[in-house]
Amino acid sequence: GTMATRAMLFVTACSGPAVAALLHPFSMAKPGAAQKSGTSIVGDGFSGETSFDRRAVLLAAPLLGTTFLPTAVSARPEGVNKPELLPKEQTNVIDLERFLTTGEARQIDKQLSALEKETGFKVRVLCQRYPNTPGLAIKDFWGVDEKSIVMIVDKGSKGAANILNFNVGEGVKLNLPNSFWTRLQSNFGTTFFVRENGEDLAIVRAVDTIDYCLRAGFCVDVPPQFKGNAKGSFDSARSSGLF
């Protein structure tokens, strides 16, 4: 139906049966399964056959597209709806874990506003540690649609093998197909990268890569200039003029 085709993308450094499940960062479907169909791998979060980590963050199921999360585990999700955790003013970045400095958060917010104005794509960042998350409330706050991308950054209570998680809107997939998101995770979300560079750089690089690729029109992988730990090579991508 039309509701099922609407979706958003979540990238993590970020709800109930009436809306769908945003999976906990530890709950990723294996490549080649639900991801190929272009539909949400989360079902309704309650009655579907897909199983999730107990700490799963629930969001609007009808709005979710393909979900990219690091590993498959089993358990039923629990609904979360905490609008009190939302900021009073609209912003593209909600950092409940203080992964970013004030300056970094402000810069990303400004960058994503410019991207949306110039390309029509929404990219949003939610940094959380379940169950400390707005959950269901994020749907209306950000007005997610088929061209929305939400990055959820979550280290988990005991650490995570990969802190970056994504839900991909149907209207984004022609520009950035499934392979792009899994490769973005493997470049910047791993324990090794975060240990060597910090959560903030993982978030900044992921956002910059998405920004660059949306403006370029198409990517199936992280562009070479964004890869690696060398700050100099990454700065050269920033000076390219695309973002």
Side-chain angles (χ1 to χ4, degrees), residues 5 17 22 32 34-36 55 59 68 78 84 96 146 155 171 176-177 180 192 209 234 239:
T5 61
L22 166 68
Q35 294 177 1
K36 278 190 175 181
R55 294 160 296 184
L59 281 166
F68 298 89
E78 299 171 358
E84 65 273 16
L96 300 176
E146 71 279 356
K155 294 182 69 174
L176 305 178
F180 170 80
F192 175 77
T209 303
F234 181 71
S239 64

Side-chain angles (χ1 to χ4, degrees), residues 75-197:
R76 289 283 180 176
E78 299 171 358
V80 176
N81 185 15
K82 298 180 179 179
E84 65 273 16
L85 293 180
L86 293 171
K88 289 182 172 58
E89 297 181 359
Q90 188 61 234
T91 177
N92 300 315
V93 180
I94 299 177
D95 185 5
L96 300 176
E97 290 297 305
R98 298 180 183 271
F99 289 148
L100 299 165
T101 66
T102 301
E104 287 170 334
R106 186 181 298 116
Q107 171 57 35
I108 292 175
D109 180 55
K110 180 180 179 181
Q111 177 181 354
L112 297 182
S113 290
L115 177 66
E116 182 176 356
K117 181 178 180 180
E118 295 163 22
T119 68
F121 291 107
K122 295 181 183 179
V123 179
R124 303 292 185 261
V125 179
L126 171 62
C127 302
Q128 64 174 43
R129 189 186 299 263
Y130 186 86
N132 187 42
T133 172
L136 225 172
I138 209 71
K139 169 181 163 281
D140 290 332
F141 181 79
W142 274 334
V144 297
D145 57 28
E146 71 279 356
K147 295 186 72 175
S148 295
I149 300 170
V150 182
M151 179 170 83
I152 298 183
V153 188
D154 193 321
K155 294 182 69 174
S157 59
K158 297 181 180 179
N162 198 300
I163 67 171
L164 298 181
N165 308 273
F166 309 87
N167 263 317
V168 184
E170 293 294 330
V172 179
K173 293 177 186 176
L174 288 178
N175 303 82
L176 305 178
N178 295 0
S179 59
F180 170 80
W181 302 108
T182 54
R183 290 166 181 168
L184 188 64
Q185 283 178 320
S186 64
N187 272 274
F188 305 128
T190 63
T191 300
F192 175 77
F193 186 91
V194 173
R195 183 174 62 245
E196 294 294 313
N197 300 281

